[in-house]
Amino acid sequence: MSFLLPKLTSKKEVDQAIKSTAEKVLVLRFGRDEDPVCLQLDDILSKTSSDLSKMAAIYLVDVDQTAVYTQYFDISYIPSTVFFFNGQHMKVDYGSPDHTKFVGSFKTKQDFIDLIEVIYRGAMRGKLIVQSPIDPKNILK
């Protein structure tokens, strides 16, 4: 499934995506193409990408090719999903100590769609952190 989504394979490409994605939520999935949990998440991302195309741009980022960002976002577990809006890192309160990224896969496509809608609406109102709409029992601890 991951072949359906565009890949960013260098720091330069990630920088470019962050700078050039305007008026949409930029979704960066950090992981590895062959990882089973990444593949599960990629399936959800690719199935929702056309529904969310007006609100979100979704890219896959290989953790081994973008070490600078892997360190910067402290990605110790994959997949980890990071969100931006107009070049600004968007934080989400998942009820956990880390608001910078979503770790693991989403349980359902609807969880991901709801999260993108909340981030998008919050960002349009100038918020840099939003409250997660996902049921806490569907979030990895």
Side-chain angles (χ1 to χ4, degrees):
M1 278 300 144
S2 46
F3 60 87
L4 297 172
L5 293 165
K7 290 188 171 84
L8 304 175
T9 56
S10 67
K11 178 189 182 298
K12 186 178 174 188
E13 287 180 6
V14 175
D15 290 343
Q16 188 57 39
I18 292 168
K19 285 187 192 116
S20 65
T21 305
E23 302 304 311
K24 284 185 178 184
V25 177
L26 173 63
V27 180
L28 299 178
R29 187 282 278 150
F30 286 86
R32 292 186 183 94
D33 291 345
E34 65 282 352
D35 181 82
V37 185
C38 290
L39 290 170
Q40 182 187 349
L41 175 58
D42 294 353
D43 185 47
I44 289 172
L45 298 179
S46 64
K47 283 180 177 165
T48 55
S49 65
S50 65
D51 299 336
L52 294 168
S53 62
K54 288 184 172 40
M55 267 190 251
I58 303 169
Y59 293 95
L60 308 180
V61 183
D62 187 304
V63 288
D64 300 318
Q65 295 174 318
T66 54
V68 171
Y69 279 108
T70 304
Q71 281 181 310
Y72 182 76
F73 292 118
D74 187 28
I75 295 175
S76 28
Y77 299 103
I78 60 167
S80 287
T81 310
V82 180
F83 306 96
F84 287 86
F85 190 83
N86 289 347
Q88 191 74 43
H89 184 196
M90 292 296 295
K91 295 185 169 84
V92 182
D93 184 350
Y94 303 105
S96 65
D98 187 355
H99 302 328
T100 60
K101 60 190 170 287
F102 184 89
V103 177
S105 182
F106 297 94
K107 285 269 191 287
T108 65
K109 288 191 317 189
Q110 196 56 51
D111 279 350
F112 179 64
I113 291 168
D114 293 347
L115 181 60
I116 294 302
E117 287 175 347
V118 165
I119 293 171
Y120 181 79
R121 283 199 302 270
M124 292 302 270
R125 287 196 223 109
K127 292 185 172 181
L128 296 178
I129 185 165
V130 296
Q131 194 66 44
S132 171
I134 302 171
D135 185 326
K137 71 176 183 285
N138 287 352
I139 298 172
L140 284 177
K141 293 291 173 249

